């Protein structure tokens, strides 16, 4: 088999795995319930916002031609598998597309809400992307565990040089939990059932291949 064919086979396998995990995440979301962070009151679709003023904008193009919004869960294997591709897309399109992250902790993941709290607490000290990257990098170490990983996430915060008193206060603050719950409530109202879920200029995407993803972004920035 040629190198090109091998690479194509690997990509196809990754997309098949992503589809399977997203499907499993959607089923878990519909079946299971959770209360960490406490869910926000249900929103009508008309009241939901795809992007809010405080949403985390990962790129800030001088001239925005499109917005790509990703609802994600830091304990989601599919989100972690997609992260290298998303990083590549940010480098390629970040000067024209605003990439936006929104929290969507899945109930089937014991530490997804705790992870979101850690990331949001880091974000309040200007370290959103650093903590998000750290949690995806280390997900195999803490993902799928049934005991709280809050202490481990706190060590990551210290490694990132965060003010720990401020970090602890942010993790415990009701406003931080509400911030995450608001993202999840918007996602539910907009039809998000699993992660990662992408919206391009307000349209929910159904993706089958990397090539299709790139084609949609190419069309959006023309």
């Amino acid at each position: 088999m040629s190198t090109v064919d091998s690479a194509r086979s690997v990509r196809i396998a990754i997309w098949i795995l992503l589809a399977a995990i997203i499907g499993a995440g959607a089923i878990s979301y519909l079946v299971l319930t959770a209360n960490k962070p406490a869910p926000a009151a249900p929103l009508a679709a008309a009241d939901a916002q795809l992007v809010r003023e405080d949403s985390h904008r990962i790129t800030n193009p001088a001239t925005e031609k499109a917005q790509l919004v990703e609802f994600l869960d830091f304990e989601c294997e599919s989100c972690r598998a997609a992260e290298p591709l998303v990083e590549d897309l940010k480098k390629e399109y970040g000067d024209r597309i605003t990439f936006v992250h929104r929290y969507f902790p899945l109930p089937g993941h014991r530490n997804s809400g705790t992870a979101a709290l850690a990331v949001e607490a880091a974000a309040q000290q200007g370290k959103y992307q650093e903590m998000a990257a750290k949690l995806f990098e280390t997900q195999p170490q803490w993902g799928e565990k049934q005991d709280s990983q809050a202490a481990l996430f706190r060590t990551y915060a210290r490694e990132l040089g965060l003010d720990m008193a401020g970090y602890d206060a942010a993790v415990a603050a009701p406003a931080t939990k509400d911030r995450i719950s608001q993202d999840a409530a918007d996602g539910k109202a907009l039809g998000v059932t699993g992660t990662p879920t992408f919206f391009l200029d307000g349209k929910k995407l159904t993706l089958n291949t990397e090539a299709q993803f790139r084609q949609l972004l190419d069309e959006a920035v023309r």
Side-chain angles (χ1 to χ4, degrees):
M1 182 180 292
S2 68
T3 301
V4 173
D5 289 339
S6 296
R8 184 178 297 112
S9 297
V10 170
R11 288 185 180 277
I12 291 172
I14 290 173
W15 280 99
I16 291 173
L17 176 61
L18 286 174
I21 297 175
I22 290 171
I27 293 171
S28 296
Y29 180 84
L30 293 171
V31 173
L32 300 173
T33 59
N35 56 13
K36 292 185 180 181
L43 290 176
D47 298 324
Q49 296 182 36
L50 185 58
V51 179
R52 291 183 178 270
E53 184 176 349
D54 62 354
S55 294
H56 293 297
R57 292 162 174 80
I58 310 305
T59 60
N60 293 284
T63 301
E64 180 186 271
K65 293 193 173 183
Q67 284 188 344
L68 182 70
V69 180
E70 178 184 2
F71 284 85
L72 53 77
D73 173 346
F74 295 104
E75 194 171 355
C76 168
E77 293 179 1
S78 184
C79 291
R80 181 174 186 269
E83 188 63 12
L85 171 59
V86 174
E87 285 297 316
D88 286 345
L89 295 177
K90 280 162 47 180
K91 293 174 183 176
E92 185 172 348
Y93 298 94
D95 60 339
R96 292 159 290 168
I97 295 177
T98 300
F99 285 69
V100 181
H101 279 183
R102 302 204 65 183
Y103 302 111
F104 200 79
L106 293 169
H109 293 151
R110 169 65 177 82
N111 281 287
S112 59
T114 306
L117 287 173
V119 174
E120 183 57 25
Q124 293 179 25
Q125 297 189 42
K127 296 284 188 177
Y128 172 88
Q129 293 193 66
E130 291 84 347
M131 182 62 91
K134 184 68 173 179
L135 291 188
F136 277 134
E137 176 190 346
T138 60
Q139 187 195 95
Q141 301 171 25
W142 59 266
E144 304 299 330
K145 293 187 180 297
Q146 295 307 304
D147 55 322
S148 174
Q149 299 296 298
L152 177 62
F153 299 157
R154 193 174 187 275
T155 66
Y156 297 158
R158 184 180 290 109
E159 290 171 2
L160 291 175
L162 300 183
D163 174 78
M164 296 311 298
Y167 174 86
D168 291 338
V171 167
T176 308
K177 297 179 175 66
D178 291 345
R179 166 75 174 74
I180 295 164
S181 296
Q182 181 66 76
D183 274 14
D186 278 335
K188 292 176 193 175
L190 293 165
V192 177
T193 57
T195 55
T197 294
F198 296 92
F199 290 80
L200 181 59
D201 285 341
K203 181 180 179 181
K204 185 179 178 182
L205 302 184
T206 300
L207 299 169
N208 296 312
T209 65
E210 177 184 338
Q212 179 192 15
F213 205 166
R214 291 182 180 278
Q215 180 181 352
L216 290 171
L217 297 186
D218 284 338
E219 292 173 353
V221 298
R222 285 175 185 166

